[in-house]
Amino acid sequence: MRLYNTLERKKQEFEPLNGNTVNMYVCGITAYDLCHIGNARSSVVFDAMVRYLRYRGYDVNFIKNFTDVDDKIIKRAHETGMEPGELAAKFIDEFNIDMQRLNVLRADVEPKCTEHIAEMVELTERLIEKGHAYATDDGDVYFRVRSFADYGKLSGRNVDEMEAGARVELGETKEDPLDFALWKSAKPGEPSWESPWGLGRPGWHLECSAMSEKYAPLPLDIHGGGQDLAFPHHENEIAQTEAATGKPFSRFWVHNGFVQINFEKMSKSLGNFFTTRELMNKFMPEALRYFLLSNHYRSPLDFSFDALEEAEKGLKRVYSALAQIDAELTKTKWKKSPFPEELETEMDAIEAKWTESMEDDLNTAAALGQIFNAVRLAGRVLEDKSLRKSEGAKKLWARIADRIRSWSDALGLFGSDPEKVLEELRNVRAARKGIDPAVVQAKLDERLAARKEKDFARSDELRDELAAMGVEVKDTPTGATWDV
């Protein structure tokens, strides 16, 4: 498997350092609000990475933190009248609810900043002892950026060029404008903890270094997060960890791209901000997950409601194929007739290309393309009257369904009951258009009664009424079905 390593600026062959175990750390949310679609993309991307590594047989030790004390949390707590810890706990719970709906697996370890203050104090003390950090008379502790010769190696920034744009905020007593806070002295009304430098709290960058070192041997195999974290967060993590330990922090640094709205980065200030919750209240969570995996994880992902509707169509197409295959496998009487060998060979190629896509820097977009190739292959056999009842068709369909369901373990998609998903998908789409399924069913029942009484004029009227509502009716041997 090859992964793009931000540190080396190229794809590299990935193998874990310690036998079969992959030690992987991903920066989690700062818990002050409901998670937005950008948070969801990072969570889904790294969930797919963990799933695929496990699919390949690796034992993944997955660590994902929660920042539960921070300037944003304190500010929001003051605005709402809640205690900062209470606010953070609330939004961690809300995040977990959203991620469960998105089929994101929980991490093996989910450390919280406030539960690891002792480890952060100890790490800060080590840095001071080694001359990489210093305490001020005000009780703040800063990291000496210039004491770490490799500073800037992740982001490609030059320290001397950075100095021109650096500034010291009011009240800061840094030796150098580039230095960053490891420990912040307590301010009135803020959460604080005892330390050798007085009451205070850790700086944001410090927590990931302390917690990853506690739960995995260094260097990590993979450290991940959003593209916006590469600088300064991950750059600072590298500096403080490697200065303290003398070891590389992580062998691979992996970053996912931004979610854009009409080719602009999503932000509250631009008014183009969507929470994961509000989107999942209008679209099936699995459709949102499908959308988030439909582009390569390092590429920008342009959000639109049209794109989510396309994701629904993709979801419907795969689940419809699975439902049809399941039905065929239970009802068809099979014949021992010739079956073209090239169809099995075609499926061999699809399987190989699916694996090749995932092995090539987790290209889920290309992997989804191979799933649709498998669906098209199943459809071609289904439409061919000379093939569809052959033993060869049975074998191929069973193989296609088995492969798609196996791949669902790696993607977190297409693993549910097809009939239930198709019904839920239809009802979600109906709700967006203001269509009441109960009203539709009542009209279908009335139409069925009219047809039984041979009142075809009334039957046609009811079909027209349903069409005017935005409902398409399809008559099948087992009865009428409907869709939006």
Side-chain angles (χ1 to χ4, degrees), residues 194-453:
E194 290 285 353
S195 82
W197 318 285
L199 285 173
R201 59 186 172 90
W204 176 42
H205 312 301
L206 188 66
E207 62 184 275
C208 293
S209 292
M211 292 189 288
S212 55
E213 187 182 2
K214 178 171 182 177
Y215 294 108
L218 299 185
L220 299 168
D221 289 300
I222 298 170
H223 194 315
Q227 178 185 328
D228 54 327
L229 297 182
F231 185 88
H233 187 49
H234 289 167
E235 193 74 71
N236 291 352
E237 283 184 31
I238 288 173
Q240 64 203 11
T241 302
E242 297 187 2
T245 66
K247 300 175 184 176
F249 188 15
S250 183
R251 297 165 59 236
F252 281 76
W253 288 85
V254 181
H255 296 95
N256 65 275
F258 293 126
V259 175
Q260 301 178 152
I261 315 288
N262 297 322
F263 304 102
E264 293 182 304
K265 186 186 173 188
M266 183 180 66
S267 72
K268 287 183 178 177
S269 61
L270 292 173
N272 60 1
F273 182 89
F274 296 102
T275 68
T276 307
R277 181 81 48 94
E278 66 183 309
L279 293 175
M280 290 193 296
N281 288 340
K282 294 179 180 177
F283 293 83
M284 263 185 71
E286 191 170 356
L288 179 55
R289 183 182 178 98
Y290 176 104
F291 166 70
L292 293 170
L293 293 174
S294 63
N295 262 31
H296 189 276
Y297 76 87
R298 285 192 290 116
S299 302
L301 181 62
D302 200 47
F303 173 84
S304 68
F305 288 106
D306 287 345
L308 270 184
E309 288 181 2
E310 286 301 310
E312 284 181 328
K313 290 175 185 175
L315 206 63
K316 180 182 176 183
R317 190 172 172 194
V318 175
Y319 273 114
S320 295
L322 288 172
Q324 199 165 17
I325 289 170
D326 289 345
E328 289 295 321
L329 291 176
T330 56
K331 76 180 184 185
T332 305
K333 293 181 180 179
W334 309 102
K335 297 177 181 177
K336 290 186 177 181
S337 55
F339 191 79
E341 190 177 318
E342 60 264 25
L343 296 179
E344 288 286 353
T345 304
E346 188 174 338
M347 189 58 196
D348 290 341
I350 289 170
E351 289 188 27
K353 287 175 182 175
W354 185 89
T355 300
E356 183 183 309
S357 299
M358 294 295 281
E359 293 282 300
D360 183 18
D361 197 25
L362 201 77
N363 193 340
T364 54
L368 286 171
Q370 294 309 317
I371 289 175
F372 285 107
N373 285 341
V375 166
R376 280 189 283 271
L377 176 58
R380 291 208 321 266
V381 174
L382 189 67
E383 291 165 8
D384 191 322
K385 292 181 180 179
S386 66
L387 297 178
R388 64 181 293 173
K389 292 188 177 182
S390 70
E391 287 278 1
K394 175 185 178 182
K395 181 182 172 186
L396 182 63
W397 283 333
R399 180 183 174 187
I400 289 171
D402 178 70
R403 285 292 85 204
I404 292 175
R405 288 178 168 127
S406 170
W407 294 335
S408 77
D409 292 340
L411 294 171
L413 293 169
F414 315 127
S416 301
D417 177 79
E419 296 295 347
K420 288 180 180 177
V421 170
L422 292 170
E423 182 180 1
E424 184 184 352
L425 186 56
R426 182 193 69 188
N427 290 344
V428 165
R429 292 168 63 230
R432 285 206 307 274
K433 294 185 180 251
I435 299 169
D436 185 344
V439 172
V440 174
Q441 193 56 52
K443 288 186 179 292
L444 288 176
D445 291 343
E446 185 183 349
R447 181 172 174 268
L448 177 62
R451 286 165 69 88
K452 283 181 178 177
E453 294 169 10

Side-chain angles (χ1 to χ4, degrees), residues 46-65:
F46 288 105
D47 179 64
M49 189 171 290
V50 169
R51 284 173 176 272
Y52 185 66
L53 289 167
R54 288 175 177 158
Y55 176 88
R56 290 181 93 246
Y58 289 121
D59 179 15
V60 182
N61 173 32
F62 182 36
I63 308 157
K64 186 174 183 179
N65 75 300

